[in-house]
Amino acid sequence: MSFYGLVDGSEKSLIQYLDQLSGVDQVGAEARAAMLATRSIKTTSKKWAIETAISMVDLTTLEGADTPGKVRALCSKAVRPDPTDPTVPSVGAVCVYNDMVEIARTHLDAIGGEHVPVAAVSTAFPSGRASMEVKIQDTQDAINAGAGEIDMVIDRGAFLAGKYGLVFDEIVKIREVCGDKAHLKVIFETGELVTYDNVRKASFLAMLAGADFIKTSTGKVAPAATPPVVLVMLEAVRDFYAITQRRIGVKPAGGIRTTKDAIKQLVLVNETAGPEWLTPNLFRIGASALLNDLLMQRMKMSDGYYASPNYVTID
Amino acid sequence: MATKKESRVEVKKTYKLFINGAFPRSESGRVFEVTAKNGDFIANPALASRKDLRDAVTAARAAQSGWSKATAYNRGQILYRIAEMLEGRADQFESEIVFTSHVTPAKAKALVAEAIDRWVWYAGWSDKLQAVSGATNPVSGPFFNFSISEPQGVVAIASSDSFLEFIDAIAAAVVSGNTSVVLVPGGLAVPAMSFAEVLATSDLPAGVINILTGSLDELAPWAASHMDIDGFDISGIQKKKHGALKEAGAENLKRIHSFGSGKTPARILAFMESKTVWHSVGV
Amino acid sequence: MTFEYAPAPESRSIVSIKPKYGHFINGSFVAGKKHFPTINPATEEILSHIALGGTSDVDKAVMAAQKAYTKTWSKLSGKERGKYLYRIARILQERAREFAVLETLDNGKPIRETRDIDIPLVAAHFFYHAGWADKLDYAGLGHNPKAYGVAGQIIPWNFPLLMLAWKVAPALATGNTVVLKPAETTSLTALLFAEVCQQAELPDGVVNIVTGDGSTGSAIVNHPGIHKIAFTGSTEVGKKIARAIASTDKKATLELGGKGANIVFDDAPVDETVEGIVNGIFFNQGHVCCAGSRLIVQESIAEEIIEKLKVRMAKIRVGDPLDKNTDLGAINSKEQLIKIKELSAIGDAEGAERWSPQCDLSNKGFWFAPTIFTGVTQAHRIAQEEIFGPVLSVLTFRTPQEAMDKANNTPFGLSAGIWSEKGSRIFWASQHLKAGVIWANTFNKFDPASPFGGYKESGWGREGGKHGLAAYLKNGKETGAK
């Protein structure tokens, strides 16, 4: 087996590859992210950024209390975020637990949302603590139910124990299950990997194993998609493209709640991976509350006065 | 066998220079006469030339890296060793000072005792300078920031004609890791060159202290303008002549200082350079 | 569509610039005789007219400073002096935005830097030194160290207000009074600082500001009533000052030129290193005495670093300094632009390879694209001479010792950078480098608590931290046991 001609999948080859990656200096990475956060995005560029961000939202509900009603409402919102303004684009995807995939898919198709994919969190989300058989079945179920995107979690315990081969194999197997039916996003739970060195290693490990997207977090652990974590992942996809000519997507998830947060993310993309990544095909934002803030900011820009939550729908 | 006692002819010392741990004559072949108060001839020390100065600076520069990188403990022990060697030859220095400086034996004795004690005092500074002059600086950010003091490099010394001030100037310059070229005037040449013999038996690496005897008026301007000398202690030069030396020294922004008599760590620190290092702190 | 950032200019309505300024002497503004224009280097717009100080103006200022020293300032306790400095720090914080905009207008540096770096550091310097004023016994200079009297301070145009703070704050904290001359092209923030002194009710004559050119500076240096000179600027002028005061009792601190080596080992954290290189040479248009203007990179990763550096340089936003998204502003003066162009042309002529990203530079004002020269050796003039602009010379090395030798192979000794993930190597390199300030895995960081200054021809003395106080104090009585 060969993965991009870079590793053969053995633990030894993985360790060799990951060890030759450049380290990440925490202070420098955080300083760069903080500097980019000072970019001031105004007027026309802000309008463009808001609409682009809306189209990148993976509108998410991942609660124990999720019901079919809640999921259907979310789907309606995903297709037409602002019912009063048809020029607002649909979001990037709807992201739900496995057992809600079919409900979501059916409802989206029923309301003219065929173009909005359903993303399913999979592989014993969020902890990933289950047997491989269960993880494969979990993924298969989601695909059978109509999921176009699989958001899998890596085994952080194995990663932190240095068992890169194990982590790699799981991603490879889930990739096989996805086949050409579903895009694979690999969630690192960066809050548990802790160091940027680990984030960079995990990024390359996942990309080598066949990830279509790399994703920061489950949303269940803080810190989640901090700007420096996303910066390090964007550097990784940029470097991976330089080596393989393949563009891997990035999905920050967790903690991005305001338009300001979202625009900071777009600036990071623009100035790190480059403008080629400024498309829902290569950048997504996992969020729920963010969408309404984007809509309110959009209203403010078109109306010229500050908006109220009373004028955006709550689900 | 000998039936009659013959008065023994003393073996007298030839005074030469002290450069790179060796005792060469001046390349110029020149000497000058040192006499006692009553005019009696004492010695013909070498009258060093600017080329001797050049050679001494080369030796001092070559010795710089090793001496400055020696551990502070090691430098301290060598300075203490100098005190030990001086102690053993105290009588000799006392009589040389009496002859050449025209002081009473009691005063000379006190002077030499104090000179020995100065070496002990300076020896102890080698591994305390950082504690006194260094700092960790609490900067506003994720950085570990500290300042340490380092030797400047090659320090020239224009010594006064006092043996104790000669000792102060040298010890202050070299304890931190500088190497030195010492210009010695007049009758001080006699104890100064005996002192070179002390240095030669004190485990001091060659070139750390180089001693040139002769005329300060002749040599000091060459030292001031020498581009490979980093610091210049001009305490032995009359104040009215300082301006010209400082002007010449401005060409490489030499650190030029003069001091009164007495011991102070400020004199050591004057020939040190503060270095501040920032390190990022992260995981 | 791509993500173009729309213009985001900071409003200049917060500043009001008078058509003409005088000198600030003895607590009030006095009219000058002759004036010269000061311009916005980004547009060449005339901002105001600055008084050209002559010997009589300097004389008045020195007299005022002497009087203030003997009558008021030297009689105040350190505690009370400190409170004036705290007041100044607070007013500077209150008026920070105004100072940032004015500095950007007058200097050409980006508002992002004046807003986030220059002006916050200015306030921090006053706040830091305020606390020293009543603790000088603990500065390591013996018991009750004494001020010199009147300090003559001459500052450059690259960090106008920050250099003022570096000079004025320690001088006042240690009990000296001040005659300060800002640089010819950047006097406006110093003159606004005079208003801050008034608002702080600083006693008259403690701070005096005489504007002008080199002749004004020379009058300060040569004035017999000045006891201490503090100068930041070129090594050439520094040497002139050293000669001018050689036969006097004047003390001097000199912060002069540099040709900082930024050394990259093959285990460096690549992306942060590239950021550090950019920050090292393109911060403040490279108008930085401690700039990392020589990149000394290990040959085995030189190609990767240079390639990534070029990609990164293409993202540097060059343009309107008042735009909040500008990274690289205007060159401070036509004179400086000519100098940068001349030295770059020498780089071309010597066979180094020049590269700049595509930049749309305005026809008005003074601009120079971020530039690197590769294939540079120690023998190139662009590896030896300070360009003081956004121009980087790239050299390579094979072994750590070779890196040290190249880094130290210069008459300067101000700054150096080390990039490596190996702790012991960083300490080894920081021991070997002959430089007053060394940044390991960072570059161009400044702090009032951190001493700054150079070895060799980069100057005399330190500014900032405990070490900086020594520049303004005569050693007190030794307290050590005998």
Side-chain angles (χ1 to χ4, degrees):
Chain A
M1 285 283 278
S2 172
F3 298 85
Y4 297 97
L6 297 173
V7 294
D8 62 13
S10 69
E11 182 132 319
K12 193 179 159 199
S13 75
L14 289 167
I15 288 171
Q16 268 175 0
Y17 193 84
L18 298 181
D19 277 358
Q20 56 83 41
L21 293 173
S22 158
V24 182
D25 184 76
Q26 181 190 346
V27 174
E30 289 176 356
R32 174 65 177 157
M35 185 263 130
L36 287 174
T38 71
R39 291 290 191 228
S40 179
I41 305 303
K42 300 287 181 203
T43 61
T44 50
S45 52
K46 184 172 182 181
K47 186 167 188 295
W48 182 87
I50 289 172
E51 288 183 4
T52 304
I54 291 171
S55 74
M56 291 170 166
V57 168
D58 274 8
L59 195 60
T60 303
T61 184
L62 295 169
E63 303 296 332
D66 284 347
T67 59
K70 158 90 181 168
V71 169
R72 285 191 198 104
L74 193 80
C75 290
S76 302
K77 177 102 177 175
V79 177
R80 276 178 293 279
D82 183 349
T84 67
D85 186 349
T87 65
V88 176
S90 300
V91 301
V94 166
C95 182
V96 293
Y97 268 118
N98 249 343
D99 59 334
M100 293 292 167
V101 171
E102 192 171 351
I103 293 159
R105 185 69 268 158
T106 309
H107 187 67
L108 283 167
D109 292 348
I111 61 169
E114 295 87 351
H115 59 288
V116 178
V118 176
V121 293
S122 191
T123 69
F125 181 96
S127 72
R129 300 249 70 85
S131 71
M132 196 58 216
E133 288 72 23
V134 169
K135 290 179 183 177
I136 288 171
Q137 191 58 51
D138 199 22
T139 308
Q140 193 63 60
D141 284 354
I143 291 168
N144 292 347
E149 302 180 358
I150 295 295
D151 287 23
M152 73 170 283
V153 290
I154 65 162
D155 184 341
R156 282 88 74 186
F159 185 93
L160 291 172
K163 294 180 176 152
Y164 300 132
L166 192 64
V167 181
F168 186 83
D169 289 345
E170 285 197 3
I171 301 170
V172 169
K173 289 206 177 93
I174 300 299
R175 166 76 269 170
E176 278 169 22
V177 176
C178 291
D180 56 6
K181 293 196 186 69
H183 265 67
L184 178 62
K185 304 192 196 109
V186 178
I187 305 170
F188 301 146
E189 200 67 296
T190 52
E192 291 183 348
L193 298 188
V194 180
T195 69
Y196 299 121
D197 288 331
N198 279 348
V199 172
R200 185 166 168 84
K201 279 185 182 174
S203 298
F204 272 88
L205 191 71
M207 291 189 288
L208 288 168
D212 299 303
F213 259 78
I214 50 177
K215 176 175 168 184
T216 60
S217 331
T218 61
K220 307 291 181 193
V221 169
T226 65
V229 157
V230 179
L231 173 80
V232 169
M233 289 167 63
L234 287 163
E235 288 167 350
V237 297
R238 176 203 62 197
D239 293 348
F240 192 75
Y241 173 73
I243 300 164
T244 64
Q245 297 301 298
R246 182 170 175 220
R247 290 196 176 97
I248 306 298
V250 175
K251 178 179 171 185
I256 301 167
R257 294 189 184 89
T258 65
T259 301
K260 215 171 186 175
D261 293 339
I263 291 178
K264 279 181 194 170
Q265 296 281 341
L266 296 191
V267 168
L268 283 174
V269 175
N270 192 39
E271 300 202 32
T272 309
E276 296 83 358
W277 265 263
L278 283 171
T279 149
N281 294 331
L282 288 170
F283 196 73
R284 294 281 182 82
I285 301 170
S288 41
L290 169 67
L291 182 58
N292 271 352
D293 195 63
L294 287 167
L295 293 171
M296 279 168 60
Q297 288 293 326
R298 190 175 178 280
M299 285 175 185
K300 193 258 164 187
M301 294 204 73
S302 55
D303 300 343
Y305 44 79
Y306 292 104
S308 154
N310 289 341
Y311 299 87
V312 290
T313 56
I314 57 169
D315 52 25
Chain B
M1 277 274 283
T3 54
K4 196 177 170 201
K5 264 206 177 159
E6 185 175 61
S7 72
R8 183 177 175 276
V9 176
E10 187 189 355
V11 179
K12 286 207 172 185
K13 182 158 80 188
T14 308
Y15 287 83
K16 297 192 279 189
L17 305 174
F18 185 56
I19 299 175
N20 203 26
F23 292 87
R25 288 195 166 85
S26 170
E27 63 77 36
S28 66
R30 303 178 305 173
V31 295
F32 64 101
E33 190 178 298
V34 174
T35 54
K37 200 177 182 181
N38 62 9
D40 286 355
F41 170 79
I42 296 175
N44 282 323
L47 183 64
S49 69
R50 62 184 165 89
K51 289 186 180 170
D52 296 319
L53 172 74
R54 175 200 63 192
D55 293 347
V57 172
T58 303
R61 177 60 64 192
Q64 224 306 296
S65 170
W67 182 241
S68 62
K69 286 185 183 64
T71 63
Y73 181 35
N74 184 235
R75 281 200 309 273
Q77 287 187 89
I78 290 172
L79 262 62
Y80 185 79
R81 176 78 176 159
I82 293 171
E84 288 177 348
M85 293 297 100
L86 207 47
E87 182 85 43
R89 295 171 60 164
D91 293 350
Q92 180 194 353
F93 283 96
E94 285 163 22
S95 60
E96 284 177 353
I97 289 167
V98 168
F99 283 135
T100 58
S101 304
H102 321 311
V103 297
T104 63
K107 204 159 184 202
K109 194 176 176 66
L111 206 63
V112 172
E114 180 59 23
I116 296 165
D117 290 353
R118 287 285 159 99
W119 280 106
V120 175
W121 189 78
Y122 282 106
W125 268 117
S126 70
D127 50 8
K128 285 126 201 123
L129 288 165
Q130 300 302 348
V132 171
S133 71
T136 50
N137 308 305
V139 295
S140 303
F143 300 99
F144 175 52
N145 174 302
F146 62 79
S147 299
I148 54 164
S149 296
E150 294 188 338
Q152 280 167 358
V154 174
V155 174
I157 295 163
S159 173
S160 80
D161 57 7
S162 147
F163 184 69
L164 188 57
E165 287 174 17
F166 163 76
I167 294 299
D168 259 326
I170 299 175
V174 301
V175 63
S176 64
N178 290 302
T179 52
S180 64
V181 174
V182 192
L183 313 178
V184 173
L188 180 62
V190 171
M193 288 321 297
S194 297
F195 179 68
E197 294 157 15
V198 165
L199 296 178
T201 53
S202 299
D203 304 324
L204 184 77
V208 172
I209 299 172
N210 303 277
I211 302 176
L212 305 179
T213 54
S215 159
L216 297 192
D217 281 344
E218 182 187 348
L219 296 176
W222 289 104
S225 65
H226 198 303
M227 295 296 276
D228 206 27
I229 290 176
D230 302 292
F232 195 10
D233 180 336
I234 55 171
S235 306
I237 303 223
Q238 290 163 287
K239 189 145 193 306
K240 65 177 182 190
K241 295 177 180 169
H242 286 187
L245 295 176
K246 286 182 176 174
E247 259 184 70
E251 194 49 39
N252 72 338
L253 291 171
K254 215 173 255 95
R255 281 70 169 141
I256 302 181
H257 304 285
S258 64
F259 304 88
S261 53
K263 56 182 205 245
T264 162
R267 186 169 193 163
I268 306 173
L269 295 173
F271 294 108
M272 296 185 80
E273 209 64 60
S274 170
K275 174 187 273 180
T276 296
V277 189
W278 297 63
H279 294 79
S280 61
V281 175
V283 293
Chain C
M1 183 183 165
T2 53
F3 196 10
E4 299 291 350
Y5 305 161
E10 180 66 57
S11 166
R12 61 184 279 183
S13 65
I14 195 166
V15 300
S16 68
I17 304 173
K18 298 185 185 90
K20 193 195 264 190
Y21 286 90
H23 308 294
F24 180 67
I25 295 172
N26 205 28
S28 46
F29 283 95
V30 297
K33 288 180 206 79
K34 282 196 267 180
H35 290 80
F36 58 91
T38 189
I39 62 167
N40 176 348
T43 60
E44 298 177 57
E45 166 203 1
I46 293 176
L47 295 171
S48 181
H49 290 83
I50 303 296
L52 178 63
T55 47
S56 68
D57 301 305
V58 169
D59 208 40
K60 279 181 206 138
V62 174
M63 302 246 283
Q66 275 177 333
K67 195 174 134 215
Y69 178 72
T70 47
K71 295 265 164 65
T72 53
W73 201 239
S74 67
K75 293 192 173 142
L76 271 185
S77 66
K79 182 180 78 172
E80 301 302 323
R81 279 202 315 272
K83 286 195 277 187
Y84 281 113
L85 270 84
Y86 280 123
R87 273 192 192 173
I88 291 171
R90 286 307 209 202
I91 296 170
L92 285 163
Q93 286 172 333
E94 285 165 359
R95 300 181 69 175
R97 187 57 56 89
E98 182 185 357
F99 271 104
V101 172
L102 186 62
E103 194 79 299
T104 287
L105 282 171
D106 199 21
N107 172 281
K109 63 169 71 191
I111 186 75
R112 178 166 66 76
E113 290 178 6
T114 54
R115 182 196 64 200
D116 296 348
I117 299 168
D118 290 59
I119 309 305
L121 273 174
V122 167
H125 258 84
F126 278 95
F127 200 91
Y128 174 84
H129 284 95
W132 266 123
D134 56 358
K135 300 168 192 71
L136 299 176
D137 270 2
Y138 305 97
L141 299 164
H143 175 65
N144 200 13
K146 289 276 189 276
Y148 283 109
V150 180
Q153 307 185 318
I154 300 161
I155 58 172
W157 46 261
N158 58 343
F159 295 93
L161 193 68
L162 183 57
M163 290 301 105
L164 175 148
W166 281 29
K167 299 280 182 284
V168 173
L172 299 195
T174 50
N176 295 274
T177 57
V178 162
V179 175
L180 175 126
K181 188 195 87 72
E184 196 177 344
T185 59
T186 55
S187 301
L188 291 178
T189 48
L191 294 163
L192 187 60
F193 176 79
E195 277 183 32
V196 172
C197 295
Q198 289 176 326
Q199 288 187 339
E201 293 164 6
L202 189 71
D204 292 346
V206 172
V207 169
N208 303 277
I209 297 170
V210 182
T211 52
D213 61 11
S215 67
T216 318
S218 174
I220 292 174
V221 168
N222 292 309
H223 197 288
I226 298 273
H227 307 104
K228 192 238 152 49
I229 306 287
F231 170 76
T232 297
S234 72
T235 290
E236 187 193 345
V237 175
K239 289 180 182 179
K240 276 188 198 159
I241 291 173
R243 287 188 197 103
I245 63 168
S247 297
T248 71
D249 285 330
K250 290 173 190 170
K251 301 288 170 193
T253 38
L254 305 172
E255 300 289 359
L256 309 175
K259 192 74 188 176
N262 207 356
I263 301 162
V264 180
F265 290 102
D266 63 0
D267 65 342
V270 171
D271 284 302
E272 293 71 45
T273 300
V274 170
E275 285 308 315
I277 296 165
V278 167
N279 188 43
I281 187 62
F282 302 124
F283 170 60
N284 202 33
Q285 295 71 247
H287 301 328
V288 184
C289 47
C290 54
S293 52
R294 284 184 298 153
L295 177 65
I296 303 186
V297 56
Q298 194 158 357
E299 212 168 309
S300 51
I301 56 157
E303 210 173 304
E304 180 189 359
I305 292 284
I306 292 164
E307 198 175 308
K308 283 201 160 178
L309 178 61
K310 286 180 177 175
V311 170
R312 175 65 181 81
M313 281 171 68
K315 296 198 185 298
I316 293 174
R317 306 176 65 87
V318 185
D320 177 10
L322 271 180
D323 191 306
K324 291 175 227 172
N325 294 325
T326 291
D327 299 322
L328 193 79
I331 301 302
N332 180 253
S333 66
K334 189 173 194 173
E335 195 187 3
Q336 187 58 27
L337 180 62
I338 290 168
K339 194 183 148 200
I340 295 167
K341 284 181 173 172
E342 278 175 2
L343 273 160
S344 300
I346 289 168
D348 294 330
E350 286 179 325
E353 195 181 322
R354 185 204 287 236
W355 185 88
S356 291
Q358 192 58 45
C359 289
D360 292 329
L361 303 178
S362 167
N363 297 324
K364 275 268 167 119
F366 315 125
W367 303 93
F368 199 85
T371 298
I372 56 170
F373 279 99
T374 50
V376 179
T377 70
Q378 286 296 108
H380 284 75
R381 274 181 68 190
I382 53 169
Q384 293 292 332
E385 290 178 37
E386 187 174 35
I387 299 174
F388 222 65
V391 182
L392 178 69
S393 298
V394 184
L395 297 86
T396 59
F397 70 90
R398 294 162 301 170
T399 65
Q401 187 59 51
E402 189 182 343
M404 299 299 108
D405 293 344
K406 285 189 172 173
N408 290 334
N409 180 213
T410 161
F412 296 117
L414 189 50
S415 73
I418 307 164
W419 296 87
S420 168
E421 289 265 282
K422 187 173 179 183
S424 57
R425 181 180 292 145
I426 288 173
F427 280 99
W428 177 88
S430 66
Q431 279 184 341
H432 280 75
L433 290 165
K434 296 274 182 207
V437 185
I438 293 172
W439 289 288
N441 291 335
T442 186
F443 210 95
N444 273 343
K445 291 284 183 294
F446 309 97
D447 195 281
S450 179
F452 183 93
Y455 285 38
K456 303 193 280 187
E457 290 193 22
S458 288
W460 289 345
R462 295 294 176 269
E463 292 186 312
K466 186 180 78 172
H467 297 72
L469 299 173
Y472 288 96
L473 290 169
K474 290 182 236 178
N475 276 4
K477 198 169 176 293
E478 295 263 347
T479 50
K482 295 292 171 192

